[in-house]
Amino acid sequence: MKRSWKVVLLVLAALTFAVLVHMHFIREYFDGRFMLGPNDGMAQMLPFKQHLYEQYTQGNFFYSFSFGLGGGIYSQLAYYFSTSIVYLLTLLGIRLLDIANVIGSPDVITWAKAILPVSIIRLSAALLLAVGVFRYLRIPLLPAFIGACFYAGSAIYFRHVVYWEFFANAFLWLPLLVLGVEKIIRERKPYWFIAAVAISVFDNFYFSYISFIFIGIYVIARWFIKLSEDELPIKSQLLYFIPAILLGFGIGSISFIPSVYAFLNNYRPAFEDPIPFYGNDDNILFTSRTLLLPVLFVFLMCVAGLYKNKLFRLFALLSILFIFFQGSPRIASIFNGFSAPQYRFEYLTMFVVAGTIAVGITQLHKVKKWHLLAAIGITAILYSLYLHHDLTLDWADEWAKYVLAGVALVLLAFLFYILKRKAWMLGICLLVVFATYIPLINAHQEKQLSGAGNVDNSTLQLLTSDKYASKEQQELIHEVLGSDDNFTRLEWKTDDSNNTNMVQGFPGISIYSSILNKELLFFYYHDLNIDMKRESVSRYSGFGNRANLYSMMNGKYIMFDKQEAIAAPYGFKPYMESSDYIVYQNENLLPFARVTANVFQENDLESHTPLEREHAMLDGIILSDGGSTKDAEALPNLMDQVSVEAAEGTYQDGQLQVEQTEGGLDLQLDDDLPKTGDYYVSFYLKNNDVSAPLYDLTVNEFETDRKSQQSIYRTKIDELTIRVQAADTIRIRLPEGSYTIEDFSLQHEDYQKLDSAVAQAEDIPFTMGRSQVTVDYNNQQEDSYLKIPVPYEKGWQVSVNGENQELLQADYAFLGVQLQSGENHIVFTYRPPYWNLLLVLCIGSLIVSLAWGIFLRKRHMAGEKGEKEA
């Protein structure tokens, strides 16, 4: 058969297998359900894809002013999709369909529909790449294909696609790295490895880290297990590996460095819980969500005679090592950057498992009969032991019966092969393996993903409902923002989703992403102590109903569901409504760009309260360096005019015991305290029960929640500041339990500062877009500084009248610049950190790599010519 036809048949076989192992989700698709997790899948994957599509097609490649309060999407979303090769290719395809009017204007539903076909294509590609590597290792085509099927069609692949789709891209690049290693060891050709390293680090810095740990282990294993006599000596290998790694990193640095910087510039409380070395009870033969080992692999691992083969020994020993890793939370922590244990590295295990299967099939005919019979017995014992020791399963369980039926069929088929030892019977055995594995992996998806993982709730109906993005919501938002000429923000979340603004396409005041600007997080956690109505890391939301912050941060609108209690901040009035929703407008909005001659220093404000810092931001600009031109105002603490009483419990020496279903503290205000405006109440709160679950906290009309102390998602910020409307009594309510609650502070806000700032404010023209903000201001009043509510992060630069100026970090987390006298044409421009240097490094590394490749090729050709002449 011609080589071209073999390639065509191989590709068709890969696509066929990919379709077969996706049959569960294909059926789900036609029933109106998507291959999409209900949590991060809907809350992050779809919003980020849609948002990047909108930004990239508009020419915004680096920065989005709608990524929360603003953020560098090229770097902060590199963990997800901004540099993902699969996503970029998908984006290109959808863009072409959009231009050709084949589809309507792309939205989150478009991206949800695309998951399944993209997954089928990606699985096929991963399978073919694995086949290519196994063929290079001199494994015959059919066994190579069979082994690769178990790599690409593994349980972890489908889990990755469903919950965190970009995780699955790592399946593509791992085989390339292995091929690159073998090319150096066997042929002294480094360019394959350079390309694999460059692609890996460009595509995703996180999974390149995981894959490089594997490659390091693989290379060391290859030093101990030589597969041929003419392999390059270890010292000579290093002379290829080291420069190849450096060049690969140099090429991929254009993505890698900005994304790693974003990761380092993120903030997440350190994981301090003890991590045991061993203790994962995952049942890898029956129920594992991530590492479900095929019975063929278990059988082959039990065949003692196969270990004589060096290649089998390599893959088998690596399989044992990585299966051992699966049981170790400490190892899982190492693979997760020495943080909380996360099991995301199973694709590495499945690659060596696939290699073990591919090699083992080719060697079965060389093994003694009693070795094979013993392996059948050992396999049966292993499955019996795993079932016996799993407290969640027993022999009568339907899933156990299903798995055991498949195991029995496979072992019975191999028993017949052992007794007859005919080549065609091995083919029958492999058909039985596929006939049992394909239904099993589909059933596993139904059980672990659609069932236990609630993926069957990810429906078209949900995506168009009021819990995600209803037509009524979007029409009202479009009408509100369509009547506004300037860039303004609207606060609105559906079903507590912080990324609603990206789903529905409006500038919002919330974000949920694993990597965020730590300056903004510190602004929320420490500097202004803003309660986000939900404690959780990796997100921020709203301004805690604090009117000053809405006015300074461009928060012009808030949308409410009429069915829920409405507690609008000071100065917000009803503006526009639909049958189910109403939008309030901020009548005290301050200009986007503000100027001032008043300077406050961060150090001088350390002892001041969040409200006093808000006033300083209204009065002037807060800077980290230099001198102050004005003293910050100190407001009285009114707690000496407040009596504290327990409700439905007891309170003494900072210890609150709530004895009923709900109780807490009543702060009774003296009669002569103001009954208008707002109060800012601050206190320390901690649940004394370390095992208590998430709990609700209510302070008058303000509702929020606090994480369990065992949650890896708690912020560990226990000092709270809550704004409530003025009232005779401030009621703090908590569920039954024991709490430490102390260090109370109470201050009154009459909004004179805000009203004065609004009255004195001057509208300053500005434009924004394509990672740039331009402000024109005639400084006739000899003001000193200009500030804008765009988050400060590395990558921003500023020029005034065409000359570069020092970029200032204003008001803790935003951009500022010193003004000149007279006309000021100010341009803030964002590029990813170290962008110009990285462009040079990337291009230079590419040129050096090409030159090295040409040099090696010429040297090789000269060597061959010399041999012929000799």
Side-chain angles (χ1 to χ4, degrees):
M1 185 183 294
K2 290 184 178 179
R3 179 178 175 83
S4 58
W5 279 107
K6 284 186 179 181
V7 172
V8 170
L9 289 175
L10 181 61
V11 171
L12 289 176
L15 284 169
T16 301
F17 176 79
V19 169
L20 290 174
V21 291
H22 278 88
M23 282 307 299
H24 167 68
F25 285 112
I26 291 173
R27 290 192 298 268
E28 293 286 279
Y29 180 87
F30 286 109
D31 287 337
R33 290 184 284 271
F34 299 114
M35 193 179 181
L36 175 70
N39 298 317
D40 285 350
M42 285 191 171
Q44 290 188 316
M45 304 305 116
L46 290 188
F48 291 160
K49 288 181 186 178
Q50 175 63 16
H51 189 65
L52 284 170
Y53 180 85
E54 292 173 350
Q55 297 300 313
Y56 282 5
T57 54
Q58 294 169 11
N60 296 329
F61 298 109
F62 303 127
Y63 195 89
S64 168
F65 299 99
S66 298
F67 183 72
L69 294 175
I73 52 174
Y74 181 85
S75 52
Q76 291 183 38
L77 284 179
Y79 174 64
Y80 296 94
F81 297 111
S82 65
T83 60
S84 164
I85 295 171
V86 172
Y87 171 76
L88 294 174
L89 291 173
T90 308
L91 183 150
L92 178 60
I94 288 179
R95 181 58 175 167
L96 292 174
L97 293 174
D98 182 16
I99 294 171
N101 292 320
V102 175
I103 58 175
S105 180
D107 56 14
V108 289
I109 296 173
T110 307
W111 291 102
K113 290 179 177 178
I115 295 171
L116 180 58
V118 169
S119 178
I120 291 172
I121 295 170
R122 176 175 44 228
L123 190 151
S124 302
L127 193 159
L128 293 171
L129 287 169
V131 169
V133 175
F134 294 155
R135 290 288 292 126
Y136 183 77
L137 294 173
R138 297 171 187 169
I139 301 172
L141 179 59
L142 185 58
F145 178 83
I146 292 170
C149 285
F150 290 102
Y151 168 63
S154 56
I156 187 61
Y157 174 83
F158 293 98
R159 181 172 177 81
H160 280 352
V161 172
V162 165
Y163 292 116
W164 310 279
E165 188 185 353
F166 64 95
F167 283 15
N169 297 342
F171 276 79
L172 296 169
W173 318 132
L174 181 63
L176 293 180
L177 286 166
V178 175
L179 178 63
V181 166
E182 291 294 338
K183 283 282 186 178
I184 287 178
I185 293 175
R186 294 166 181 260
E187 301 183 51
R188 298 167 173 79
K189 293 181 178 178
Y191 24 88
W192 288 90
F193 190 62
I194 293 171
V197 169
I199 291 171
S200 296
V201 299
F202 178 89
D203 187 82
N204 189 283
F205 75 95
Y206 176 75
F207 277 94
S208 65
Y209 163 76
I210 295 174
S211 293
F212 291 154
I213 293 176
F214 170 83
I215 285 300
I217 295 172
Y218 182 87
V219 169
I220 293 171
R222 285 288 281 109
W223 289 348
F224 285 97
I225 303 176
K226 294 185 177 181
L227 301 178
S228 62
E229 296 299 325
D230 59 346
E231 291 182 2
L232 197 63
I234 294 175
K235 290 183 179 179
S236 299
Q237 287 181 32
L238 293 174
L239 294 177
Y240 282 86
F241 278 127
I242 293 173
I245 290 170
L246 294 175
L247 290 170
F249 265 99
I251 296 170
S253 65
I254 196 78
S255 163
F256 184 79
I257 298 300
S259 57
V260 169
Y261 173 81
F263 171 77
L264 297 175
N265 194 52
N266 183 44
Y267 172 74
R268 191 162 182 167
F271 183 78
E272 298 173 346
D273 295 350
I275 303 175
F277 183 77
Y278 215 78
N280 185 10
D281 297 327
D282 212 14
N283 189 331
I284 58 178
L285 298 187
F286 282 90
T287 58
S288 176
R289 296 175 299 173
T290 58
L291 185 62
L292 189 67
L293 296 178
V295 62
L296 178 57
F297 166 77
V298 179
F299 168 69
L300 293 172
M301 288 289 289
C302 295
V303 180
L306 291 176
Y307 289 85
K308 294 179 181 179
N309 181 277
K310 289 184 177 180
L311 186 56
F312 182 87
R313 191 157 65 244
L314 172 70
F315 281 121
L317 292 178
L318 287 173
S319 297
I320 292 171
L321 178 65
F322 277 87
I323 290 170
F324 171 79
F325 286 171
Q326 182 70 13
S328 173
R330 186 75 57 81
I331 299 297
S333 171
I334 292 172
F335 275 104
N336 194 39
F338 296 87
S339 184
Q342 292 285 1
Y343 292 89
R344 296 167 177 166
F345 59 86
E346 292 86 345
Y347 71 100
L348 308 174
T349 312
M350 289 311 300
F351 180 80
V352 288
V353 164
T356 304
I357 292 171
V359 181
I361 293 171
T362 67
Q363 301 298 311
L364 275 178
H365 67 283
K366 300 179 182 179
V367 179
K368 295 177 181 179
K369 182 183 291 187
W370 73 268
H371 282 180
L372 297 175
L373 290 171
I376 288 179
I378 296 171
T379 302
I381 292 172
L382 283 173
Y383 273 90
S384 299
L385 289 174
Y386 266 80
L387 181 58
H388 176 72
H389 288 286
D390 192 330
L391 299 179
T392 66
L393 283 177
D394 57 42
W395 292 92
D397 187 273
E398 291 299 319
W399 180 254
K401 290 179 180 178
Y402 191 81
V403 174
L404 289 173
V407 172
L409 285 172
V410 171
L411 294 183
L412 188 61
F414 273 99
L415 181 60
F416 280 111
Y417 165 73
I418 294 166
L419 296 175
K420 299 294 184 180
R421 300 300 288 265
K422 301 290 185 182
W424 63 270
M425 293 193 72
L426 180 57
I428 298 297
C429 291
L430 297 176
L431 286 176
V432 172
V433 168
F434 276 100
T436 55
Y437 182 76
I438 290 172
L440 176 68
I441 200 67
N442 277 281
H444 186 268
Q445 295 160 23
E446 182 175 7
K447 177 181 174 63
Q448 295 290 0
L449 298 177
S450 294
N454 299 317
V455 176
D456 54 2
N457 294 331
S458 300
T459 63
L460 177 62
Q461 183 179 3
L462 178 60
L463 291 183
T464 56
S465 72
D466 57 5
K467 291 186 176 181
Y468 199 74
S470 73
K471 185 176 180 182
E472 180 186 353
Q473 294 168 2
Q474 294 179 77
E475 286 180 347
L476 180 58
I477 290 170
H478 180 75
E479 187 176 357
V480 169
L481 296 180
S483 62
D484 210 320
D485 294 332
N486 290 324
F487 178 86
T488 52
R489 298 190 179 278
L490 179 147
E491 181 179 346
W492 166 243
K493 295 190 298 181
T494 59
D495 202 30
D496 208 24
S497 175
N498 284 40
N499 290 332
T500 295
N501 64 304
M502 283 184 273
V503 172
Q504 300 191 12
F506 63 88
I509 310 176
S510 62
I511 190 70
Y512 167 39
S513 174
S514 291
I515 296 179
L516 294 170
N517 180 354
K518 71 178 180 184
E519 307 298 345
L520 268 179
L521 294 176
F522 290 162
F523 179 77
Y524 272 83
Y525 293 167
H526 305 294
D527 303 323
L528 273 295
N529 198 211
I530 304 166
D531 191 282
M532 298 174 265
K533 302 183 181 179
R534 177 184 182 185
E535 183 192 12
S536 183
V537 297
S538 301
R539 68 185 73 212
Y540 58 81
S541 176
F543 296 119
N545 283 6
R546 288 153 64 169
N548 295 329
L549 296 177
Y550 282 99
S551 295
M552 288 187 285
M553 301 297 162
N554 242 119
K556 189 172 183 179
Y557 305 104
I558 303 178
M559 190 159 94
F560 297 97
D561 187 330
K562 291 181 179 179
Q563 302 302 315
E564 300 176 0
I566 296 175
Y570 169 83
F572 279 79
K573 306 297 180 184
Y575 174 65
M576 199 176 290
E577 63 182 301
S578 63
S579 59
D580 296 310
Y581 305 95
I582 183 168
V583 174
Y584 279 63
Q585 184 184 63
N586 186 359
E587 296 186 343
N588 294 314
L589 188 70
L590 288 163
F592 177 82
R594 296 174 59 213
V595 295
T596 185
N598 299 328
V599 180
F600 303 91
Q601 288 303 308
E602 288 184 12
N603 291 338
D604 296 339
L605 293 171
E606 282 187 359
S607 61
H608 285 256
T609 66
L611 178 56
E612 291 164 356
R613 294 172 186 175
E614 284 184 17
H615 284 182
M617 291 167 64
L618 287 169
D619 276 344
I621 186 172
I622 302 174
L623 298 176
S624 57
D625 298 315
S628 300
T629 63
K630 189 175 182 180
D631 293 330
E633 176 187 30
L635 299 174
N637 182 356
L638 305 175
M639 283 303 296
D640 58 352
Q641 301 178 63
V642 175
S643 61
V644 181
E645 300 176 1
E648 306 297 342
T650 61
Y651 181 64
Q652 187 174 8
D653 297 329
Q655 298 302 304
L656 171 66
Q657 187 71 41
V658 178
E659 298 170 349
Q660 302 298 320
T661 303
E662 182 182 85
L665 297 176
D666 288 342
L667 277 58
Q668 301 282 354
L669 277 64
D670 288 357
D671 291 338
D672 58 347
L673 288 179
K675 301 299 186 292
T676 60
D678 290 338
Y679 282 104
Y680 282 48
V681 56
S682 300
F683 51 90
Y684 173 89
L685 173 66
K686 189 172 183 178
N687 195 322
N688 293 331
D689 183 357
V690 295
S691 62
L694 176 144
Y695 62 96
D696 294 327
L697 165 67
T698 303
V699 183
N700 285 14
E701 74 277 5
F702 193 90
E703 298 178 356
T704 184
D705 64 44
R706 308 294 296 165
K707 292 286 187 187
S708 161
Q709 289 190 49
Q710 294 182 326
S711 173
I712 63 173
Y713 301 110
R714 67 181 293 250
T715 62
K716 300 184 181 179
I717 303 298
D718 297 318
E719 297 79 15
L720 308 179
T721 296
I722 308 293
R723 164 269 181 196
V724 294
Q725 296 174 1
D728 295 330
T729 305
I730 297 175
R731 296 176 175 84
I732 300 173
R733 293 295 179 265
L734 294 158
E736 182 180 0
S738 174
Y739 305 88
T740 298
I741 180 168
E742 56 191 1
D743 298 335
F744 284 94
S745 170
L746 183 71
Q747 293 183 311
H748 180 252
E749 172 59 290
D750 57 15
Y751 292 106
Q752 290 184 14
K753 287 280 186 185
L754 177 59
D755 293 339
S756 175
V758 171
Q760 297 175 20
E762 175 185 357
D763 281 331
I764 300 173
F766 72 94
T767 59
M768 58 195 307
R770 300 205 174 189
S771 309
Q772 193 172 85
V773 179
T774 301
V775 181
D776 287 294
Y777 176 65
N778 188 354
N779 189 15
Q780 296 178 338
Q781 304 300 320
E782 295 298 322
D783 286 307
S784 304
Y785 298 95
L786 177 141
K787 61 180 182 178
I788 58 175
V790 173
Y792 178 94
E793 62 180 281
K794 192 174 186 66
W796 278 107
Q797 298 177 343
V798 63
S799 67
V800 179
N801 297 328
E803 295 183 2
N804 290 336
Q805 299 294 325
E806 180 186 3
L807 182 73
L808 302 176
Q809 187 170 342
D811 294 346
Y812 298 106
F814 301 94
L815 300 183
V817 66
Q818 190 166 5
L819 291 168
Q820 300 177 3
S821 299
E823 293 290 345
N824 284 257
H825 178 69
I826 304 166
V827 180
F828 296 92
T829 304
Y830 179 84
R831 290 293 179 269
Y834 315 108
W835 183 251
N836 292 336
L837 175 64
L838 294 175
L839 276 175
V840 174
L841 179 61
C842 174
I843 296 171
S845 298
L846 184 60
I847 292 172
V848 172
S849 299
L850 292 173
W852 191 19
I854 293 170
F855 169 76
L856 291 175
R857 183 175 177 82
K858 286 183 176 180
R859 190 174 70 175
H860 178 70
M861 292 174 64
E864 287 185 342
K865 183 178 179 181
E867 289 178 3
K868 289 180 180 180
E869 291 177 351

